[in-house]
């Protein structure tokens, strides 16, 4: 779409200045994504091309007290994931039906049981655990006194693996802070921002604290990696007296996808880790690790071999493994069967997991982020399993306040769950729900008629009785959230994609580091992300092409 469009409350000169500033700022500050390679040959060259990341031209209004609420939930949610990861019986029982119909989740659970619930995982069980998590929220409409909408914070999902865009989101916040301050001269943006303000709050805008907050993500996430790296060095490297011990400083391994386009976001973390803490990073895919990495079965060291495999002095020891891949079946293209020579990505994942390196995430954290676990936590008394209130801990009640309605479609479905299915099929209420599989990355959910058809095709209806097919066990049914709509101008590749009413989703990062004995070394809020998409778009991933990066304008 041409940049020559009319936007309410913005004159054409101001709009063009905003676009020009946004594109120039993005180029100067690395607010970019890599273009897809047209061929395998292209992907093996250094002639990479970068374009402006998908962004909202201006920030979106957000109630300050609900933004602060999202921040305050980071620590208890971090701790909840840690506690779940150590409860093997809970994970096994919760995911028992999913594993029979979803091969990918079943494989994760198989590895978890073999390594952490049996005797052949001594090195993995002795490792520290690092979490870089992101809890995603939407504002959800409630009718307040006087008949006007007010909003509450509701959780969409909790991401425990490859929680992305911390780097680019921090840069977007910097861009929006610059634009709203630089273009504030003469009040050129006031009417545009005020219209959006009225969409989310009922009172007049506060005079103090208004604007785009700073995100600590680019200091907090590298700090958490550094702390994990330092603990590894203190625990193992200084005390490792075997004859083959390397004198080179151990590395942080970024496990990445081949032909990754979101490289800048990852590189920002890598560069901050070096600039702030002088910790080196190595980037490799699971397939590359299968061919170049080895596990020392005596010490538990995970080593990346040099091109000259016999030269151990140039091999690199891995202290921390940070997964930006491995969260979807597509990251394991050679399949599941190791006996016939395939399944190399799974073999590499298992080799990594069995090592003494600190994993981000370990398998327990990964499984704690599945949709089925999220649905199970919403049942009465389940969060209290991990935060007993008779100990005076109010974490369970605090966490429960942001749960949306979540319903099982498996053998454990209760009367309440079946009533939600009846609501979809018998009351034509499919627009009130979302059907979610055990997947990350965006683009997998079912909405509206597609949702109703998917359930109807996999169940039997006898008058008022509904029997669910076991194939539905891999899904959960979730209450659909209805956030306020605001005006936005969305850019892709530096060009205006369109303008209109949009909705947004807030992500709050959290970082946690736990020892083998579950001592919490570090537990902090880690920054924010806001994603904005046109209101008629159901899915919400940025990397999958549905949403853009934005930032909150607190009011």
């Amino acid at each position: 779409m041409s940049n020559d469009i009319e936007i309410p409350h913005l004159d054409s000169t101001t709009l063009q200045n905003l676009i020009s500033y946004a594109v120039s700022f993005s180029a100067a500050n690395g607010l970019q994504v890599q273009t897809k390679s047209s061929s395998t040959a292209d992907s093996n060259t250094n002639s990479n091309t970068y374009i402006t990341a998908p962004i909202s031209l201006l920030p979106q209004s957000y109630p300050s007290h609900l933004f602060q609420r999202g921040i305050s939930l980071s620590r208890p949610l971090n701790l909840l994931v840690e506690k779940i990861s150590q409860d093997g019986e809970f994970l096994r029982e919760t995911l028992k039906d999913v594993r029979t119909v979803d091969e990918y989740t079943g494989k994760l659970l198989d590895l978890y049981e073999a390594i952490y619930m049996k005797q052949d995982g001594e090195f993995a069980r002795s490792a520290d655990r690092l979490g870089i998590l992101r809890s995603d929220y939407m504002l959800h409409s409630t009718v307040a006194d006087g008949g006007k909408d007010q909003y509450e914070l509701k959780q969409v999902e909790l991401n425990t693996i490859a929680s992305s865009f911390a780097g680019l989101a921090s840069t977007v916040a910097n861009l929006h802070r610059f634009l709203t301050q630089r273009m504030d001269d003469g009040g050129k943006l006031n009417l545009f921002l005020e219209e959006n303000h009225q969409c989310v709050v009922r009172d007049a805008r506060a005079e103090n604290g208004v604007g785009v907050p700073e995100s600590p993500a680019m200091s907090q996430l590298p700090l958490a990696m550094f702390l994990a790296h330092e603990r590894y060095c203190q625990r193992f490297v200084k005390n490792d007296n075997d004859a083959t011990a390397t004198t080179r400083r151990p590395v942080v391994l970024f496990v990445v996808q081949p032909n990754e386009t979101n490289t800048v976001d990852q590189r920002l973390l890598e560069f901050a880790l070096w600039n702030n803490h002088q910790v080196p990073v190595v980037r490799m895919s699971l397939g590359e690790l299968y061919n170049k990495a080895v596990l020392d079965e005596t010490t538990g060291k995970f080593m990346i071999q040099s091109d000259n495999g016999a030269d151990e002095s140039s091999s690199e020891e891995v202290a921390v493994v940070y997964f930006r891949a491995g969260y979807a079946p597509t990251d394991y293209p050679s399949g599941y069967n190791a006996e016939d020579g395939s399944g190399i990505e799974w073999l590499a994942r298992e080799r990594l997991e069995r090592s003494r390196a600190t994993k981000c995430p370990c398998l327990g954290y990964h499984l704690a982020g599945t949709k089925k676990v999220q649905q199970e936590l919403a049942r009465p008394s389940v969060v209290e399993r991990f935060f007993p209130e008779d100990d005076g801990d109010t974490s369970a009640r605090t966490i429960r306040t942001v749960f949306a309605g979540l319903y099982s479609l498996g053998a454990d479905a209760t009367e309440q769950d079946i009533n939600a299915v009846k609501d979809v099929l018998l009351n034509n209420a499919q627009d009130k729900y979302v059907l979610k599989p055990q997947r990350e990355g965006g683009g997998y959910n079912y909405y509206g008629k597609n949702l109703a058809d998917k359930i109807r095709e996999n169940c039997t209806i006898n008058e008022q009785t509904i029997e669910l097919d076991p194939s539905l066990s891999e899904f959960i049914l979730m209450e659909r959230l209805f956030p306020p709509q605001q005006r936005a101008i969305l850019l892709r590749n530096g060009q205006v994609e369109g303008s209109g009413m949009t909705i947004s989703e807030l992500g709050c990062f959290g970082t946690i580091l736990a020892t083998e004995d579950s001592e919490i070394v570090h537990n902090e809020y880690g920054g924010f992300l806001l994603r904005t998409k046109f209101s008629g778009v159901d899915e919400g991933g940025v990397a999958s092409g549905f949403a853009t990066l934005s930032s909150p304008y607190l009011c």
Side-chain angles (χ1 to χ4, degrees):
M1 178 178 290
S2 168
N3 289 335
D4 297 326
I5 61 173
E6 293 185 4
I7 306 294
H9 311 309
L10 285 180
D11 63 73
S12 60
T13 300
T14 299
L15 176 61
Q16 292 306 317
N17 285 341
L18 286 169
I19 296 170
S20 178
Y21 270 128
V23 173
S24 298
F25 187 101
S26 298
N29 292 276
L31 184 48
Q32 298 180 316
V33 292
Q34 190 172 329
T35 58
K36 288 184 178 294
S37 300
S38 58
S39 67
T40 304
D42 291 340
S43 68
N44 293 327
T45 70
N46 291 320
S47 58
N48 298 321
T49 302
Y50 297 87
I51 57 175
T52 302
I55 60 173
S56 172
L57 184 59
L58 289 168
Q60 300 298 101
S61 290
Y62 210 92
S64 180
H65 70 288
L66 294 179
F67 178 78
Q68 293 299 325
R69 182 159 184 73
I71 290 175
S72 70
L73 285 162
S74 296
R75 292 184 182 90
L77 286 172
N78 293 344
L79 192 55
L80 177 61
V81 169
E82 160 61 19
K83 289 175 177 287
I84 291 172
S85 77
Q86 297 304 291
D87 194 334
E89 289 303 324
F90 171 79
L91 287 171
R92 179 154 57 189
E93 181 66 20
T94 299
L95 295 169
K96 66 180 181 181
D97 291 334
V98 177
R99 77 188 312 171
T100 64
V101 293
D102 180 7
E103 190 173 26
Y104 169 74
T105 303
K107 181 66 173 180
L108 292 174
L109 188 56
D110 288 345
L111 287 178
Y112 175 85
E113 290 175 336
I115 296 172
Y116 292 98
M117 299 180 71
K118 297 179 181 178
Q119 298 303 312
D120 61 348
E122 59 175 312
F123 300 125
R125 291 193 297 272
S126 72
D128 290 343
R129 297 179 292 278
L130 174 62
I132 294 178
L133 318 175
R134 196 189 71 228
S135 183
D136 293 338
Y137 306 97
M138 278 187 173
L139 300 178
H140 185 53
S141 174
T142 60
V143 178
D145 292 340
K148 292 185 178 180
D149 281 350
Q150 286 205 14
Y151 297 94
E152 57 188 358
L153 199 68
K154 290 297 180 182
Q155 187 183 60
V156 177
E157 63 183 355
L158 179 58
N159 302 276
T160 60
I161 182 171
S163 304
S164 60
F165 290 113
L168 292 185
S170 299
T171 311
V172 170
N174 294 338
L175 165 66
H176 286 163
R177 197 177 309 108
F178 169 78
L179 290 178
T180 53
Q181 293 173 358
R182 172 67 178 85
M183 301 298 290
D184 191 49
D185 181 34
K188 296 181 177 66
L189 304 183
N190 282 354
L191 290 176
F192 185 94
L193 295 173
E194 182 62 28
E195 180 190 57
N196 283 346
H197 167 81
Q198 295 298 328
C199 293
V200 298
V201 296
R202 299 175 64 191
D203 52 359
R205 188 185 306 173
E207 293 183 2
N208 297 320
V210 172
V212 180
E214 292 192 20
S215 174
M218 292 313 294
S219 60
Q220 286 299 310
L221 271 59
L223 173 63
M225 293 184 193
F226 167 69
L227 294 175
H229 183 274
E230 288 302 287
R231 271 193 53 82
Y232 180 92
C233 292
Q234 291 168 6
R235 295 183 64 201
F236 298 118
V237 178
K238 291 182 179 179
N239 299 317
D240 200 344
N241 296 317
D242 64 57
T244 61
T246 177
T247 58
R248 303 181 70 184
R249 194 174 192 194
V251 302
V252 172
L253 170 65
F254 282 23
V255 181
V256 298
Q257 295 171 328
N259 298 317
E260 172 69 70
T261 59
N262 195 24
T263 53
V264 175
D265 183 61
Q266 299 168 5
R267 292 289 190 183
L268 288 171
L269 289 173
E270 175 184 347
F271 300 154
L273 191 56
W274 179 260
N275 290 335
N276 298 345
H277 307 290
Q278 289 72 58
V279 173
V281 166
V282 172
R283 295 166 53 85
M284 299 187 79
S285 69
L286 286 169
E288 290 172 319
L289 286 168
Y290 174 77
N291 292 313
K292 297 193 67 173
V294 295
L295 171 65
D296 187 321
E297 297 287 355
T298 302
T299 64
K301 282 195 302 184
F302 191 78
M303 302 290 294
I304 298 174
Q305 295 179 318
S306 65
D307 291 334
N308 179 8
D311 183 8
E312 178 125 2
S313 64
S314 62
S315 297
E316 294 176 295
E317 181 176 355
V318 175
V320 179
V321 182
Y322 174 52
F323 285 96
R324 290 296 289 261
Y327 56 83
T330 50
D331 288 331
Y332 304 86
S334 64
Y336 295 82
N337 186 4
E339 295 180 359
D340 65 359
S342 64
I344 63 171
E345 293 84 12
W346 282 111
L347 290 171
R349 178 76 184 267
E350 179 181 6
R351 199 181 299 165
L352 272 170
E353 196 71 31
R354 290 178 56 231
S355 76
R356 70 187 188 187
T358 301
K359 271 75 68 175
C360 180
C362 62
L363 280 168
Y365 279 34
H366 189 169
L367 290 169
T370 57
K371 302 298 188 298
K372 181 61 182 177
V373 167
Q374 181 185 6
Q375 173 262 306
E376 182 66 18
L377 289 171
R379 292 192 191 279
S381 302
V382 177
V383 179
E384 288 76 6
R385 173 184 180 130
F386 304 100
F387 295 107
E389 293 197 340
D390 54 8
D391 292 343
D393 193 338
T394 61
S395 297
R397 274 178 285 168
T398 301
I399 291 170
R400 281 195 176 281
T401 61
V402 294
F403 283 170
L406 294 156
Y407 309 98
S408 172
L409 300 179
D412 61 342
T414 64
E415 182 179 357
Q416 183 183 34
D417 301 325
I418 296 299
N419 285 339
V421 175
K422 288 180 179 179
D423 200 26
V424 171
L425 300 183
L426 304 181
N427 299 334
N428 199 33
Q430 60 264 28
D431 291 334
K432 292 168 52 180
Y433 300 92
V434 182
L435 186 65
K436 293 186 171 184
Q438 313 298 312
R439 291 290 177 271
E440 302 296 337
Y444 300 102
N445 298 335
Y446 291 81
Y447 298 85
K449 182 178 183 300
N450 290 335
L451 179 158
D453 289 345
K454 181 67 175 180
I455 296 179
R456 188 175 290 107
E457 292 165 2
N458 293 280
C459 72
T460 302
I461 304 175
N462 296 314
E463 297 182 353
Q464 293 296 308
T465 301
I466 294 180
E467 295 183 9
L468 302 174
D469 189 87
S471 62
L472 288 174
S473 297
E474 71 166 300
F475 294 90
I476 66 165
L477 193 62
M478 180 176 176
E479 173 190 11
R480 189 165 187 177
L481 305 177
F482 295 96
Q485 296 187 32
Q486 300 183 49
R487 190 177 303 281
I489 306 151
L490 306 187
L491 272 63
R492 290 190 185 275
N493 192 17
Q495 299 291 315
V496 174
E497 179 186 33
S499 172
M501 302 310 288
T502 62
I503 58 174
S504 296
E505 184 173 318
L506 174 71
C508 291
F509 290 96
T511 58
I512 186 168
L513 179 61
T515 71
E516 61 176 308
D517 298 321
S518 296
E519 176 189 353
I520 306 303
V521 177
H522 174 87
N523 183 10
E524 296 292 341
Y525 159 68
F528 63 82
L529 158 73
L530 195 76
R531 287 170 294 182
T532 297
K533 63 182 180 180
F534 289 120
S535 56
V537 176
D538 288 328
E539 295 290 354
V542 175
S544 50
F546 299 106
T548 63
L549 295 168
S550 187
S551 57
Y553 192 85
L554 301 185
C555 53

